[in-house]
């Protein structure tokens, strides 16, 4: 065991056909960034559960089990481990709602092929976030009522600029999800270059981190947030976290795919895309995915350390949150029941192990991906 995470014996995936579990071993990950858990994560989870169940969601059966397994207090608590719990609750409640939304309307089962249903629902949800009270939810749409509550609380706690950034983050997320629908409906795996720049959006990177400013009670000036270096740092952090998600969710996706009545050639996971594009076996594809994550992590650290000396106080807080996101996301993902109990009915169906290494990647040049090369070329 290294850094509190079970160490692997060899990179790869093994399926036991008798008991049907899936075991994934991720090669050691370079990530010399801070990691810490929030001391009140359990209470945050309990309050979030009471809140979403009060809106008629995740009350029973597998949905309730999956909600608990998401450990949203553990996830967001690792991004902001020192935040006051009362303010952090807003982001944890959002995580609980949006994980449920993602599972039911975006990624899994028949819903993953019904783009028209997603489009109609997402546009209503976006309008609720833009203008609370303008779209009525009810027994048939408990998501909208819960989102309306979040939007109202967001406006009470945040500035108009922070609210706009939150809404824009969701718009980018939903656009990314529509791109994924297009890939599935064409039954085609996207190119690695396309996936590299869109993954930050399909993983709701901006939407997820938009709550940190509101919780901090500080506003990053627009000229700072929109500067090329800060934009690059945001994209680097969001993409790295999303690629790591592809690693620790790989076993879950494999388990669900084996039980799906739908056969598809479309793969929306970094490991599978690397394997398809470069003709790699599974172990080599896992190693290539980790190497790419390591290179992005190193580039984030290099650019962050160039920006920090002249950063204003709100930006310094933001960069600290991004640093905690990258490390904390890995630590959370390797433990979360979301990935070990894929459908809420099969605890322990997937086992994913990983570790950390202090050895930096050898390659310091940008990967051969034009869509993200500017993270290196412009600085």
């Amino acid at each position: 065991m290294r850094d509190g995470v079970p160490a692997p014996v060899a990179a790869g995936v093994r399926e036991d056909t008798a008991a049907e579990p899936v075991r994934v071993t991720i090669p050691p990950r370079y990530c010399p960034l801070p990691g810490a858990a929030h001391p009140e994560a359990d209470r945050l989870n309990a309050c979030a559960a009471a809140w979403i169940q009060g809106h008629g969601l995740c009350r029973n059966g597998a949905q309730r089990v999956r909600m608990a397994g998401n450990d949203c207090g553990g996830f967001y608590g690792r991004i902001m481990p020192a935040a006051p719990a009362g303010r952090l609750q807003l982001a944890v409640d959002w995580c609980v709602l949006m994980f449920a939304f993602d599972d039911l309307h975006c990624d899994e089962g028949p819903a993953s092929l019904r783009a028209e249903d997603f489009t109609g629902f997402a546009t209503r949800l976006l309008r609720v976030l833009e203008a609370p009270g303008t779209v009525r939810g009810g027994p048939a749409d408990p998501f909208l009522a819960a989102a309306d509550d979040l939007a109202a609380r967001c406006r009470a706690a945040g500035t108009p600029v922070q609210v706009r950034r939150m809404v824009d983050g969701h718009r980018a997320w939903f656009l990314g999800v529509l791109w994924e629908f297009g890939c599935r409906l064409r039954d085609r795996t996207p190119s690695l270059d396309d996936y590299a720049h869109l993954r930050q959006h399909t993983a709701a990177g901006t939407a997820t981190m938009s709550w940190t400013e509101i919780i901090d009670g500080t506003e990053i000036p627009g000229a700072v947030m929109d500067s090329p270096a800060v934009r690059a740092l945001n994209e680097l952090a969001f993409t790295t976290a999303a690629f790591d998600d592809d690693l620790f969710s790989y076993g879950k996706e494999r388990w669900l795919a084996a039980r799906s009545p739908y056969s598809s050639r479309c793969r929306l996971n970094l490991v599978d895309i690397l394997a398809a594009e470069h003709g790699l076996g599974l172990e080599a594809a896992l190693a290539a995915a980790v190497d790419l994550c390591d290179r992005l992590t190193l580039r984030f650290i290099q650019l962050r350390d160039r920006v920090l000396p002249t950063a204003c106080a709100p930006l310094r807080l933001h960069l600290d949150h991004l640093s905690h996101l990258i490390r904390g996301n890995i630590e959370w993902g390797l433990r979360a029941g979301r990935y070990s109990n894929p459908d809420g009915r099969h605890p322990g169906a997937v086992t994913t192990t990983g570790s950390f290494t202090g050895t930096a990647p050898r390659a310091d040049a940008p990967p051969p991906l034009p869509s993200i090369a500017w993270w290196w070329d412009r600085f």
Side-chain angles (χ1 to χ4, degrees):
M1 178 173 288
R2 281 185 286 181
D3 294 311
V5 180
V9 292
V13 176
R14 183 167 68 84
E15 296 188 35
D16 184 335
T17 55
E20 298 187 330
V22 176
R23 294 183 174 86
V24 181
T25 303
I26 302 170
R29 190 64 174 80
Y30 172 75
C31 191
L33 291 166
H38 196 283
E40 297 185 71
D42 289 343
R43 184 165 74 87
L44 289 164
N45 280 331
C47 291
W51 172 78
I52 197 169
Q53 289 166 6
H55 284 285
L57 293 163
C58 303
R59 285 181 171 176
N60 301 299
Q63 286 189 7
R64 183 170 183 170
V65 172
R66 295 186 76 177
M67 175 198 65
N70 289 337
D71 183 24
C72 292
F75 171 70
Y76 223 104
R78 283 179 166 85
I79 298 172
M80 305 183 76
R87 294 185 68 86
L88 186 59
Q89 191 68 57
L90 177 62
V92 176
D93 290 352
W94 173 85
C95 280
V96 169
L97 182 66
M98 293 306 162
F99 271 133
F101 168 74
D102 191 57
D103 291 341
L104 291 174
H105 293 278
C106 304
D107 283 348
E108 298 177 12
S112 67
L113 296 172
R114 294 199 297 259
E116 67 280 4
D117 291 351
F118 171 82
T119 302
F121 187 81
T123 52
R124 292 194 299 275
L125 180 56
L126 189 61
R127 188 56 180 165
V128 167
L129 297 175
E130 290 174 326
T134 58
V135 179
R136 295 296 179 188
D141 282 314
F143 278 99
L144 296 183
D148 193 271
D149 177 69
L150 282 174
R153 290 160 61 192
C154 174
R155 277 158 178 76
T159 68
V161 170
Q162 292 168 344
V163 172
R164 178 186 56 76
R165 288 172 177 168
M166 180 273 293
V167 173
D168 286 349
H170 286 78
R171 187 174 288 111
W173 177 21
F174 298 161
L175 180 63
V177 173
L178 283 172
W179 172 78
E180 287 187 316
F181 272 107
C183 293
R184 292 192 197 98
L185 291 172
R186 291 193 303 272
D187 200 20
R188 188 174 67 190
T189 297
S191 71
L192 179 59
D193 191 49
D194 283 343
Y195 190 73
H197 76 90
L198 283 160
R199 186 65 177 107
Q200 62 178 303
H201 301 306
T202 65
T206 306
T208 300
M209 293 301 289
S210 66
W211 301 96
T212 60
E213 272 189 288
I214 299 168
I215 295 163
D216 282 333
T218 62
E219 183 180 302
I220 302 171
V224 174
M225 183 67 96
D226 297 332
S227 66
V230 175
R231 282 182 52 230
L233 283 164
N234 281 327
E235 291 193 4
L236 274 160
F238 301 160
T239 304
T240 305
F243 282 172
D244 278 319
D245 181 82
D246 285 351
L247 287 165
F248 54 68
S249 69
Y250 188 75
K252 170 190 172 182
E253 293 179 17
R254 191 180 181 100
W255 191 91
L256 290 172
R259 288 151 184 82
S260 172
Y262 305 98
S263 177
S264 174
R265 292 171 295 181
C266 176
R267 298 291 182 267
L268 293 167
N269 182 288
L270 178 63
V271 178
D272 289 327
I273 293 171
L274 281 164
E277 191 151 311
H278 297 293
L280 303 176
L282 182 56
E283 289 193 15
L286 282 166
V290 168
D291 179 67
L292 182 54
C293 290
D294 290 349
R295 293 169 71 179
L296 297 185
T297 301
L298 178 61
R299 185 56 181 159
F300 172 84
I301 293 169
Q302 291 170 337
L303 189 54
R304 180 203 61 181
D305 291 349
R306 289 177 57 180
V307 170
L308 270 174
T310 58
C312 62
L315 179 58
R316 294 181 72 87
L317 279 173
H318 181 67
L319 296 179
D320 184 63
H321 301 328
L322 293 179
S323 299
H324 278 88
L325 165 68
I326 295 174
R327 175 72 179 226
N329 180 60
I330 301 170
E331 295 177 341
W332 165 80
L334 289 172
R335 294 166 170 80
R338 177 175 181 80
Y339 304 108
S340 62
N341 185 358
D343 63 352
R345 298 181 179 89
H346 292 82
V350 177
T351 301
T352 302
T353 56
S355 60
F356 294 102
T357 177
T359 303
R362 293 192 299 272
D364 196 25
L369 299 169
S371 67
I372 63 172
W374 79 275
W375 299 339
W376 284 262
D377 296 345
R378 297 191 189 179
F379 307 101

